[in-house]
Amino acid sequence: DAKTTQPNSMESNEEEPVHLPCNHSTISGTDYIHWYRQLPSQGPEYVIHGLTSNVNNRMASLAIAEDRKSSTLILHRATLRDAAVYYCIPIPGGGADGLTFGKGTHLIIQP
Amino acid sequence: DARVTQTPRDKVTEMGQEVTMRCQPILGHNTVFWYRQTMMQGLELLAYFRNRAPLDDSGMPKDRFSAEMPDATLATLKIQPSEPRDSAVYFCASGLGNRDYNEQFFGPGTRLTVL
């Protein structure tokens, strides 16, 4: 499995954009990049995923570097509800197998 | 709004007792996962099933843990006998098992405390 590196924590202000980085330099060509987040006292929830192109959905945007060794999750206007631990997870071949979670980034949102 | 449900939400038991955790996956999902979360180890995959057949249980301590899917609407995780080191939050998740639509939906978890 590809190894990931994420900052332990990040802090942002409410209603400002947040860019959460992830390094996955050992990713293989067919690994999809998935992002999940875990709100306090809840189970993880899916945020977004992509392979090569940048992706947008109602929750966030995912920017993938051209060499695919890193990606950035973008929350366009953070709210207090976005305070969570964010996990970047490369998944071999897109796959429908179990997820390997790292330590993730603890995002703190200041009002 | 379809959700994964887990029971019980909280369980406190004494060492040596049997513990059974239950999960109802989202209707129509054919893949069910069990994860465990502790402060020390973070989130770990224990086992998963596809179409009720076990695909991987390599993350599960075999001597005391067992996972089953008696039918498509119920997955169980059993610990016998339980030990204090089993104290954790246990999450069940379900998905479509399709590489193009492989989002996993997690339940609220069962918080297990073994005294």
Side-chain angles (χ1 to χ4, degrees):
Chain A
D1 289 354
K3 196 172 166 67
T4 59
T5 304
Q6 297 180 254
N8 286 336
S9 66
M10 289 183 65
E11 202 165 310
S12 182
N13 295 320
E14 199 176 7
E15 298 191 4
E16 289 186 357
V18 179
H19 291 232
L20 295 159
C22 179
N23 279 328
H24 32 75
S25 58
T26 61
I27 198 169
S28 79
T30 57
D31 288 0
Y32 283 71
I33 299 150
H34 285 241
W35 285 79
Y36 278 74
R37 71 180 185 181
Q38 187 173 21
L39 302 170
S41 302
Q42 294 189 27
E45 66 175 345
Y46 167 84
V47 178
I48 199 167
H49 78 279
L51 182 61
T52 55
S53 307
N54 295 345
V55 184
N56 301 297
N57 67 19
R58 63 177 177 81
M59 288 179 73
S61 296
L62 177 60
I64 301 172
E66 202 169 324
D67 63 6
R68 296 198 351 110
K69 292 186 188 300
S70 66
S71 61
T72 302
L73 179 71
I74 302 163
L75 307 179
H76 295 286
R77 269 183 87 226
T79 69
L80 294 176
R81 198 195 171 274
D82 292 318
V85 179
Y86 286 78
Y87 298 95
C88 158
I89 306 173
I91 299 183
D97 301 320
L99 301 173
T100 301
F101 289 85
K103 296 191 188 310
T105 296
H106 183 199
L107 177 63
I108 299 162
I109 304 295
Q110 298 289 357
Chain B
D1 191 21
R3 295 182 186 212
V4 174
T5 58
Q6 291 186 246
T7 55
R9 293 294 308 276
D10 277 282
K11 175 74 176 179
V12 180
T13 191
E14 293 192 346
M15 183 171 65
Q17 296 298 305
E18 178 178 301
V19 175
T20 299
M21 290 169 270
R22 293 177 175 80
C23 166
Q24 182 170 18
I26 292 172
L27 193 64
H29 283 186
N30 68 348
T31 308
V32 175
F33 306 85
W34 283 104
Y35 293 87
R36 174 171 67 180
Q37 185 170 33
T38 62
M39 289 293 292
M40 292 297 292
Q41 301 296 329
L43 274 157
E44 306 172 282
L45 175 69
L46 295 177
Y48 72 100
F49 295 77
R50 182 154 299 135
N51 297 319
R52 296 176 56 202
L55 281 195
D56 186 357
D57 62 0
S58 57
M60 210 163 64
K62 301 285 191 304
D63 54 340
R64 300 181 298 106
F65 284 58
S66 61
E68 294 180 349
M69 279 202 75
D71 62 59
T73 64
L74 178 64
T76 62
L77 180 66
K78 194 172 292 188
I79 308 174
Q80 167 64 10
S82 58
E83 298 181 1
R85 60 181 166 149
D86 301 328
S87 297
V89 181
Y90 290 81
F91 291 105
C92 173
S94 71
L96 288 171
N98 178 308
R99 70 193 296 147
D100 293 319
Y101 298 97
N102 57 3
E103 175 183 350
Q104 292 186 23
F105 295 80
F106 283 75
T110 293
R111 180 177 298 277
L112 174 65
T113 304
V114 183
L115 302 174

Coordinates of all heavy atoms in Angstrom, one line a residue, chain A residues 30-32 34 91-99, chain B residues 33 50 97-104:
Chain A
T30 N -2.3 3.1 -10.7 CA -3.7 2.8 -10.7 C -4.4 3.0 -9.4 O -5.5 2.7 -9.2 CB -3.9 1.3 -11.1 OG1 -3.2 0.5 -10.2 CG2 -3.5 1.0 -12.5
D31 N -3.7 3.6 -8.5 CA -4.2 3.9 -7.1 C -5.1 5.2 -7.2 O -4.7 6.2 -7.7 CB -3.2 4.2 -6.1 CG -2.4 3.0 -5.7 OD1 -2.7 1.9 -6.2 OD2 -1.5 3.1 -4.8
Y32 N -6.3 5.0 -6.8 CA -7.2 6.2 -6.6 C -6.9 6.9 -5.3 O -6.5 6.2 -4.3 CB -8.7 5.8 -6.6 CG -9.2 5.5 -8.0 CD1 -8.9 4.3 -8.7 CD2 -10.2 6.3 -8.6 CE1 -9.4 4.0 -9.9 CE2 -10.7 6.0 -9.8 CZ -10.3 4.9 -10.5 OH -10.8 4.6 -11.7
H34 N -8.5 8.7 -2.2 CA -9.7 8.9 -1.5 C -9.5 9.8 -0.3 O -8.4 9.7 0.4 CB -10.3 7.6 -1.0 CG -10.9 6.8 -2.1 ND1 -12.3 6.4 -2.2 CD2 -10.4 6.3 -3.3 CE1 -12.5 5.7 -3.3 NE2 -11.4 5.6 -4.0
I91 N -6.1 4.0 -2.7 CA -6.7 2.7 -2.8 C -6.2 2.1 -4.1 O -6.5 2.6 -5.2 CB -8.2 2.8 -2.8 CG1 -8.6 3.5 -1.4 CG2 -8.9 1.5 -2.9 CD1 -10.1 3.6 -1.2
P92 N -5.6 0.9 -4.0 CA -5.1 0.2 -5.2 C -6.2 -0.1 -6.2 O -7.3 -0.6 -5.9 CB -4.6 -1.1 -4.7 CG -4.3 -0.8 -3.3 CD -5.3 0.2 -2.8
G93 N -6.0 0.4 -7.4 CA -7.0 0.1 -8.5 C -8.4 0.6 -8.3 O -9.3 0.1 -8.9
G94 N -8.5 1.6 -7.4 CA -9.9 2.0 -7.1 C -10.5 1.1 -6.0 O -11.1 1.6 -5.1
G95 N -10.4 -0.1 -6.2 CA -10.8 -1.2 -5.3 C -12.0 -1.1 -4.5 O -12.4 0.0 -4.1
A96 N -12.5 -2.2 -4.0 CA -13.6 -2.1 -3.1 C -13.3 -2.9 -1.9 O -14.1 -3.6 -1.3 CB -14.8 -2.7 -3.8
D97 N -12.0 -2.8 -1.5 CA -11.5 -3.5 -0.3 C -11.5 -2.6 0.9 O -11.9 -1.4 0.8 CB -10.1 -4.0 -0.6 CG -10.1 -5.0 -1.8 OD1 -11.1 -5.7 -1.9 OD2 -9.2 -4.9 -2.6
G98 N -10.9 -3.1 2.0 CA -10.9 -2.3 3.2 C -10.0 -1.1 3.1 O -9.0 -1.1 2.3
L99 N -10.2 -0.1 3.9 CA -9.4 1.1 3.9 C -8.3 1.0 4.9 O -8.5 0.5 6.0 CB -10.3 2.3 4.3 CG -11.5 2.6 3.3 CD1 -12.4 3.7 3.9 CD2 -11.0 2.9 2.0
Chain B
F33 N -17.8 -4.1 6.2 CA -16.5 -4.0 6.8 C -16.7 -3.9 8.3 O -17.6 -3.2 8.8 CB -15.8 -2.8 6.3 CG -15.6 -2.8 4.8 CD1 -16.7 -2.2 4.0 CD2 -14.5 -3.2 4.2 CE1 -16.6 -2.1 2.6 CE2 -14.4 -3.2 2.8 CZ -15.4 -2.6 2.0
R50 N -18.1 -9.9 1.4 CA -18.8 -9.5 0.1 C -19.8 -10.6 -0.2 O -19.4 -11.8 -0.2 CB -17.8 -9.3 -1.0 CG -18.5 -8.9 -2.3 CD -17.5 -8.1 -3.2 NE -17.1 -6.9 -2.5 CZ -15.8 -6.5 -2.5 NH1 -14.8 -7.2 -3.1 NH2 -15.4 -5.4 -1.9
G97 N -19.3 -2.4 -3.2 CA -18.3 -3.4 -3.6 C -18.0 -3.2 -5.1 O -17.6 -4.2 -5.7
N98 N -18.1 -2.0 -5.6 CA -17.8 -1.8 -7.0 C -16.7 -0.8 -7.1 O -16.8 0.2 -6.5 CB -19.1 -1.3 -7.6 CG -19.0 -0.9 -9.1 OD1 -18.1 -0.2 -9.5 ND2 -19.9 -1.5 -9.9
R99 N -15.7 -1.1 -7.9 CA -14.5 -0.2 -7.9 C -14.9 1.2 -8.4 O -14.2 2.2 -8.1 CB -13.4 -0.8 -8.8 CG -13.7 -0.8 -10.3 CD -12.7 -1.7 -11.0 NE -11.4 -1.1 -10.9 CZ -10.3 -1.9 -10.9 NH1 -10.4 -3.2 -10.9 NH2 -9.1 -1.4 -10.8
D100 N -15.9 1.4 -9.1 CA -16.3 2.7 -9.6 C -17.2 3.4 -8.5 O -17.3 4.6 -8.6 CB -17.0 2.7 -10.9 CG -16.1 2.2 -12.0 OD1 -14.9 2.6 -12.0 OD2 -16.5 1.4 -12.8
Y101 N -17.8 2.6 -7.7 CA -18.7 3.2 -6.7 C -18.4 2.5 -5.4 O -19.2 1.7 -4.9 CB -20.2 3.0 -7.1 CG -20.6 3.6 -8.4 CD1 -20.6 2.9 -9.5 CD2 -20.9 5.0 -8.4 CE1 -20.9 3.5 -10.7 CE2 -21.3 5.6 -9.6 CZ -21.2 4.9 -10.7 OH -21.6 5.5 -11.9
N102 N -17.2 2.8 -4.8 CA -16.8 2.1 -3.7 C -16.7 2.9 -2.4 O -16.0 2.6 -1.4 CB -15.4 1.5 -3.9 CG -14.4 2.6 -4.3 OD1 -14.7 3.8 -4.3 ND2 -13.2 2.2 -4.6
E103 N -17.5 4.0 -2.3 CA -17.7 4.8 -1.1 C -18.2 3.9 0.0 O -19.1 3.1 -0.2 CB -18.7 5.9 -1.4 CG -19.0 6.7 -0.2 CD -20.1 7.7 -0.5 OE1 -20.4 7.9 -1.7 OE2 -20.6 8.3 0.4
Q104 N -17.5 4.0 1.2 CA -18.0 3.2 2.3 C -18.8 4.1 3.2 O -18.4 5.2 3.5 CB -16.8 2.6 3.1 CG -16.0 1.6 2.3 CD -14.9 0.9 3.0 OE1 -14.9 0.9 4.3 NE2 -14.0 0.3 2.3

